[in-house]
Amino acid sequence: MSIIVFTSCTERIDIELDNDRIRLVVEGNITDISGRQYIKLSETADYFSNDAPKGVSNAQVIINSDDESITLVESDTISGLYNMPVSFLGVQGKDYDLNIALETEIGGYKDYFATTQMPPLSDDIDSIAVEWMPDFNGWVVRLFAKDPAREDFYMFNGINNGVLLTDSIHKVNISDDRLFNGNYTNGSIVLFFDEEELVPGDIFTLVLSNITKGYASFVSEVQTEIQPNNPIFGGPPANVKSNINNEAAGYFTAFPSAFTSAVVKNKPAE
């Protein structure tokens, strides 16, 4: 496919887009939280397509660990969504392998593999505080906790009155622990929200997850790539690294999470 870009110059620019190269996309993670967990398989879509990615059905999806093997079951209503047993929970420190066998090859491959480990998570969290920051014209979430003396990578999500606020990948916060490794965080800011997203008296819950270094890099790269590029011809986007073989996109990971809640404070008197 070729598109033509018109500018104030008279030169014609042809940009070749490779729309024939389809890849498998894998979305899914293992957590230690009760509830339905899944692996989602889909195909990459045309750059200019307005349609949702096509789900990949009739695949065999298996998760193996050192003491169990789980075959996921495809949803009856959502194509390409493969559910784990409701009772399944991830275990900290455990290795997990993902094996996918497609009915029909995608991008020249039928079999895909990824492996990950669920990191440990310290539960030494004292509290959180949600405060109004006039300088930012928004709300900040502060964390008070003791960080273990080891290299950790954290993902922070926010739930307000039972509703997930960080409901897309560009809203989550990813951080390593270089600034407070082995020390007390003492109110470090871990999330920021616009004024209209929170109201004094709301019940806010911070979800702190300990993630692998590879997944931290993956999320950071995705966040970078979805940001607007200025100038428009400043440089081509880079491929986001995946841990799934055979040129698949996406990431397979496992992480534990801790939940800490607080009431949103009143704004300071002006």
Side-chain angles (χ1 to χ4, degrees), residues 53-120:
K54 179 182 177 183
V56 178
S57 290
N58 303 319
Q60 183 183 60
V61 181
I62 299 174
I63 292 177
N64 293 314
S65 62
D66 57 1
D67 59 357
E68 62 183 332
S69 180
I70 299 171
T71 299
L72 281 63
V73 179
E74 186 175 8
S75 168
D76 293 330
T77 57
I78 303 176
S79 174
L81 186 70
Y82 296 82
N83 293 307
M84 304 178 203
V86 176
S87 60
F88 177 76
L89 294 175
V91 178
Q92 297 181 31
K94 204 170 190 177
D95 294 322
Y96 295 95
D97 296 335
L98 173 65
N99 294 274
I100 301 170
L102 303 182
E103 183 180 52
T104 304
E105 69 179 31
I106 295 177
Y109 302 99
K110 291 183 68 174
D111 298 313
Y112 296 84
F113 173 81
T115 187
T116 191
Q117 182 183 79
M118 179 178 284

Side-chain angles (χ1 to χ4, degrees), residues 212-230:
T212 65
K213 182 177 182 179
Y215 188 57
S217 297
F218 171 81
V219 175
S220 296
E221 289 176 13
V222 171
Q223 290 176 334
T224 298
E225 291 305 316
I226 62 179
Q227 295 299 317
N229 190 2
N230 185 25

Side-chain angles (χ1 to χ4, degrees), residues 227-247:
Q227 295 299 317
N229 190 2
N230 185 25
I232 187 171
F233 292 111
N239 290 329
V240 177
K241 295 179 182 178
S242 170
N243 68 337
I244 305 157
N245 71 340
N246 290 339
E247 303 180 5

